[in-house]
Amino acid sequence: MTNYSQTTFYIGVTGNLQKRVWEHKNKAAKGFTKKYNVDRLVYYELTDSVETALNREKQLKRWHRDWKINLIREMNPEFKDLSMDWD
């Protein structure tokens, strides 16, 4: 996830992506995303296991900013909020 100006990125794991995005957009939880107004879903990956998801999260958090941006651009070149079409 990122903020409006795409200056801050957040990486996390959840079992319910739509619920978690709603929480970020509605500032339902105190913390990093609320503080930095991170409320736009620009990239996500689906996995079959929690272990795989947690390992991938750790990997991505170690990446340089440019690597993350390039990964996002592969799936979402315009950095559109992918959750905008959700009901």
Side-chain angles (χ1 to χ4, degrees):
M1 297 196 70
T2 191
N3 59 351
Y4 175 78
S5 57
Q6 300 167 1
T7 56
T8 304
F9 293 96
Y10 170 81
I11 298 171
V13 172
T14 183
N16 186 333
L17 183 58
Q18 287 185 323
K19 178 182 175 191
R20 190 67 178 125
V21 169
W22 182 92
E23 291 170 348
H24 289 303
K25 288 183 174 293
N26 291 280
K27 314 293 186 254
K30 294 179 183 176
F32 181 88
T33 57
K34 183 176 181 179
K35 179 178 179 180
Y36 293 99
N37 201 30
V38 174
D39 62 0
R40 294 169 180 251
L41 179 68
V42 292
Y43 181 84
Y44 64 90
E45 295 179 9
L46 302 175
T47 65
D48 292 332
S49 76
V50 173
E51 181 180 359
T52 301
L54 291 171
N55 287 335
R56 181 65 167 156
E57 175 190 28
K58 289 176 188 175
Q59 178 188 39
L60 292 175
K61 285 184 174 184
R62 289 189 304 264
W63 280 20
H64 297 279
R65 177 183 176 80
D66 290 344
W67 299 356
K68 294 173 192 176
I69 290 171
N70 289 335
L71 180 65
I72 295 166
R73 283 197 176 130
E74 287 178 19
M75 179 177 148
N76 185 1
E78 297 176 14
F79 276 64
K80 291 182 180 178
D81 184 345
L82 301 174
S83 68
M84 291 304 294
D85 295 333
W86 296 352
D87 292 326

